[in-house]
Short mmCIF file of all heavy atoms in Angstrom, two decimals:
data_model
loop_
_atom_site.label_atom_id
_atom_site.label_comp_id
_atom_site.label_asym_id
_atom_site.label_seq_id
_atom_site.Cartn_x
_atom_site.Cartn_y
_atom_site.Cartn_z
N ASN R 482 37.45 102.52 129.63
CA ASN R 482 37.07 101.40 130.52
C ASN R 482 37.02 100.08 129.75
O ASN R 482 37.50 99.06 130.22
CB ASN R 482 35.68 101.64 131.13
CG ASN R 482 35.71 102.63 132.26
OD1 ASN R 482 36.61 102.60 133.10
ND2 ASN R 482 34.76 103.55 132.28
N PHE R 485 40.66 98.92 128.73
CA PHE R 485 41.61 98.52 129.76
C PHE R 485 41.12 97.39 130.67
O PHE R 485 41.92 96.67 131.24
CB PHE R 485 42.02 99.73 130.59
CG PHE R 485 42.81 100.75 129.81
CD1 PHE R 485 42.48 102.09 129.86
CD2 PHE R 485 43.88 100.35 129.03
CE1 PHE R 485 43.21 103.03 129.13
CE2 PHE R 485 44.61 101.27 128.29
CZ PHE R 485 44.27 102.61 128.34
N LEU R 488 42.72 94.01 130.49
CA LEU R 488 44.19 93.96 130.51
C LEU R 488 44.73 93.92 131.94
O LEU R 488 44.05 94.27 132.89
CB LEU R 488 44.76 95.19 129.79
CG LEU R 488 44.32 95.35 128.33
CD1 LEU R 488 44.94 96.60 127.74
CD2 LEU R 488 44.70 94.13 127.52
N SER R 489 46.00 93.49 132.03
CA SER R 489 46.64 93.42 133.36
C SER R 489 48.03 94.04 133.28
O SER R 489 48.57 94.24 132.19
CB SER R 489 46.76 91.96 133.78
OG SER R 489 47.66 91.30 132.91
N ASP R 490 48.59 94.30 134.45
CA ASP R 490 49.98 94.77 134.51
C ASP R 490 50.91 93.79 133.81
O ASP R 490 51.85 94.17 133.14
CB ASP R 490 50.43 94.89 135.97
CG ASP R 490 49.86 96.15 136.62
OD1 ASP R 490 49.81 97.19 135.94
OD2 ASP R 490 49.43 96.06 137.79
N ASP R 491 50.58 92.51 133.98
CA ASP R 491 51.40 91.45 133.40
C ASP R 491 51.46 91.57 131.87
O ASP R 491 52.51 91.40 131.26
CB ASP R 491 50.82 90.10 133.83
CG ASP R 491 51.70 88.95 133.37
OD1 ASP R 491 52.92 89.03 133.63
OD2 ASP R 491 51.18 88.01 132.74
N TYR R 493 51.23 94.28 130.09
CA TYR R 493 52.12 95.38 129.74
C TYR R 493 53.57 95.05 130.04
O TYR R 493 54.47 95.41 129.27
CB TYR R 493 51.67 96.67 130.44
CG TYR R 493 50.52 97.35 129.72
CD1 TYR R 493 49.20 97.16 130.11
CD2 TYR R 493 50.78 98.15 128.61
CE1 TYR R 493 48.16 97.77 129.43
CE2 TYR R 493 49.74 98.76 127.92
CZ TYR R 493 48.43 98.57 128.33
OH TYR R 493 47.42 99.17 127.64
N ARG R 527 50.47 102.34 127.99
CA ARG R 527 50.73 101.85 129.34
C ARG R 527 50.44 102.93 130.38
O ARG R 527 49.89 102.65 131.46
CB ARG R 527 52.20 101.42 129.42
CG ARG R 527 52.50 100.55 130.59
CD ARG R 527 53.98 100.23 130.60
NE ARG R 527 54.23 99.07 131.42
CZ ARG R 527 55.45 98.61 131.65
NH1 ARG R 527 56.49 99.18 131.10
NH2 ARG R 527 55.62 97.55 132.42
N ILE R 528 50.82 104.16 130.07
CA ILE R 528 50.57 105.26 130.99
C ILE R 528 49.07 105.46 131.17
O ILE R 528 48.56 105.64 132.28
CB ILE R 528 51.24 106.55 130.47
CG1 ILE R 528 52.75 106.45 130.73
CG2 ILE R 528 50.67 107.79 131.14
CD1 ILE R 528 53.54 107.53 130.05
N ALA R 529 48.35 105.41 130.05
CA ALA R 529 46.89 105.56 130.12
C ALA R 529 46.29 104.43 130.97
O ALA R 529 45.37 104.65 131.76
CB ALA R 529 46.29 105.56 128.72
N PHE R 530 46.84 103.23 130.82
CA PHE R 530 46.36 102.09 131.61
C PHE R 530 46.61 102.33 133.10
O PHE R 530 45.75 102.10 133.95
CB PHE R 530 47.07 100.81 131.13
CG PHE R 530 46.76 99.59 131.96
CD1 PHE R 530 45.49 99.04 131.95
CD2 PHE R 530 47.74 99.00 132.75
CE1 PHE R 530 45.20 97.91 132.72
CE2 PHE R 530 47.45 97.87 133.52
CZ PHE R 530 46.18 97.32 133.50
N LYS R 531 47.80 102.83 133.43
CA LYS R 531 48.13 103.10 134.83
C LYS R 531 47.25 104.23 135.40
O LYS R 531 46.83 104.18 136.55
CB LYS R 531 49.61 103.46 134.97
CG LYS R 531 50.51 102.23 134.83
CD LYS R 531 51.94 102.55 135.17
CE LYS R 531 52.84 101.34 134.97
NZ LYS R 531 52.45 100.17 135.78
N MET R 532 46.98 105.22 134.56
CA MET R 532 46.07 106.29 135.00
C MET R 532 44.69 105.71 135.29
O MET R 532 44.03 106.10 136.24
CB MET R 532 45.93 107.33 133.88
CG MET R 532 47.13 108.24 133.72
SD MET R 532 46.81 109.36 132.34
CE MET R 532 48.20 110.49 132.52
N TRP R 533 44.29 104.79 134.43
CA TRP R 533 42.97 104.18 134.58
C TRP R 533 42.89 103.39 135.89
O TRP R 533 41.90 103.45 136.61
CB TRP R 533 42.71 103.26 133.37
CG TRP R 533 41.44 102.51 133.42
CD1 TRP R 533 40.20 102.98 133.15
CD2 TRP R 533 41.29 101.12 133.78
NE1 TRP R 533 39.27 101.98 133.30
CE2 TRP R 533 39.92 100.83 133.69
CE3 TRP R 533 42.17 100.10 134.14
CZ2 TRP R 533 39.40 99.56 133.96
CZ3 TRP R 533 41.66 98.84 134.41
CH2 TRP R 533 40.29 98.59 134.32
N GLN R 534 43.98 102.69 136.21
CA GLN R 534 44.01 101.95 137.48
C GLN R 534 44.01 102.91 138.67
O GLN R 534 43.29 102.72 139.64
CB GLN R 534 45.28 101.09 137.56
CG GLN R 534 45.26 99.87 136.68
CD GLN R 534 46.59 99.13 136.76
OE1 GLN R 534 47.66 99.74 136.70
NE2 GLN R 534 46.52 97.82 136.89
N LEU R 535 44.82 103.95 138.53
CA LEU R 535 45.01 104.88 139.64
C LEU R 535 43.73 105.65 139.98
O LEU R 535 43.41 105.87 141.14
CB LEU R 535 46.14 105.86 139.29
CG LEU R 535 46.64 106.73 140.42
CD1 LEU R 535 47.36 105.89 141.47
CD2 LEU R 535 47.59 107.82 139.91
N LYS R 536 43.00 106.04 138.95
CA LYS R 536 41.78 106.83 139.21
C LYS R 536 40.81 106.03 140.08
O LYS R 536 40.09 106.58 140.89
CB LYS R 536 41.12 107.24 137.89
CG LYS R 536 40.39 106.09 137.20
CD LYS R 536 39.28 106.50 136.26
CE LYS R 536 38.52 105.26 135.82
NZ LYS R 536 37.83 105.35 134.55
N ARG R 537 40.81 104.72 139.88
CA ARG R 537 39.87 103.91 140.66
C ARG R 537 40.25 103.93 142.14
O ARG R 537 39.40 103.93 143.02
CB ARG R 537 39.81 102.48 140.11
CG ARG R 537 39.28 102.49 138.67
CD ARG R 537 38.93 101.12 138.19
NE ARG R 537 40.09 100.23 138.22
CZ ARG R 537 40.02 98.94 137.93
NH1 ARG R 537 38.86 98.38 137.63
NH2 ARG R 537 41.09 98.19 137.95
N THR R 538 41.55 103.91 142.40
CA THR R 538 42.02 103.99 143.79
C THR R 538 41.73 105.37 144.39
O THR R 538 41.25 105.48 145.51
CB THR R 538 43.54 103.72 143.85
OG1 THR R 538 43.81 102.56 143.08
CG2 THR R 538 44.01 103.53 145.26
N VAL R 539 42.04 106.41 143.63
CA VAL R 539 41.90 107.77 144.17
C VAL R 539 40.44 108.12 144.41
O VAL R 539 40.10 108.70 145.45
CB VAL R 539 42.55 108.80 143.22
CG1 VAL R 539 42.21 110.23 143.65
CG2 VAL R 539 44.06 108.60 143.17
N PHE R 540 39.58 107.77 143.47
CA PHE R 540 38.18 108.18 143.60
C PHE R 540 37.40 107.32 144.60
O PHE R 540 36.29 107.67 144.97
CB PHE R 540 37.48 108.19 142.24
CG PHE R 540 38.01 109.24 141.29
CD1 PHE R 540 38.11 109.00 139.93
CD2 PHE R 540 38.42 110.48 141.78
CE1 PHE R 540 38.60 109.97 139.07
CE2 PHE R 540 38.93 111.46 140.92
CZ PHE R 540 39.02 111.20 139.56
N LEU R 551 49.65 109.16 146.26
CA LEU R 551 48.77 108.96 145.10
C LEU R 551 48.79 110.19 144.18
O LEU R 551 48.84 110.06 142.96
CB LEU R 551 47.35 108.64 145.56
CG LEU R 551 47.16 107.25 146.19
CD1 LEU R 551 45.79 107.16 146.87
CD2 LEU R 551 47.32 106.15 145.15
N GLN R 554 51.96 110.12 142.24
CA GLN R 554 51.95 109.15 141.13
C GLN R 554 51.16 109.70 139.94
O GLN R 554 51.58 109.57 138.78
CB GLN R 554 51.28 107.85 141.59
CG GLN R 554 52.16 106.97 142.46
CD GLN R 554 51.35 105.83 143.07
OE1 GLN R 554 50.44 105.30 142.45
NE2 GLN R 554 51.66 105.47 144.29
N LEU R 558 52.58 110.53 136.15
CA LEU R 558 52.00 109.97 134.92
C LEU R 558 51.64 111.08 133.94
O LEU R 558 51.88 110.98 132.74
CB LEU R 558 50.75 109.14 135.25
CG LEU R 558 51.00 107.80 135.94
CD1 LEU R 558 49.68 107.17 136.37
CD2 LEU R 558 51.78 106.84 135.04
N VAL R 599 40.26 109.30 130.17
CA VAL R 599 41.30 108.89 131.10
C VAL R 599 42.24 110.04 131.50
O VAL R 599 42.66 110.11 132.65
CB VAL R 599 42.04 107.64 130.55
CG1 VAL R 599 42.87 107.96 129.34
CG2 VAL R 599 42.87 106.97 131.61
N GLU R 602 40.32 112.42 133.73
CA GLU R 602 40.18 111.75 135.03
C GLU R 602 41.47 111.85 135.84
O GLU R 602 41.44 112.06 137.05
CB GLU R 602 39.80 110.28 134.83
CG GLU R 602 38.37 110.10 134.37
CD GLU R 602 38.05 108.68 133.94
OE1 GLU R 602 38.96 107.97 133.48
OE2 GLU R 602 36.89 108.28 134.05
N ASN R 603 42.59 111.69 135.15
CA ASN R 603 43.86 111.74 135.87
C ASN R 603 44.11 113.14 136.45
O ASN R 603 44.56 113.27 137.59
CB ASN R 603 45.02 111.35 134.93
CG ASN R 603 46.32 111.16 135.68
OD1 ASN R 603 46.45 110.25 136.49
ND2 ASN R 603 47.27 112.06 135.46
#
Side-chain angles (χ1 to χ4, degrees):
N482 282 318
F485 294 132
L488 301 179
S489 66
D490 283 320
D491 185 50
Y493 279 97
R527 197 182 199 183
I528 284 170
F530 174 68
K531 286 188 182 302
M532 285 178 171
W533 176 78
Q534 286 176 315
L535 191 68
K536 75 156 188 205
R537 297 192 300 175
T538 312
V539 171
F540 293 144
L551 289 168
Q554 283 170 35
L558 288 172
V599 69
E602 288 170 331
N603 190 67

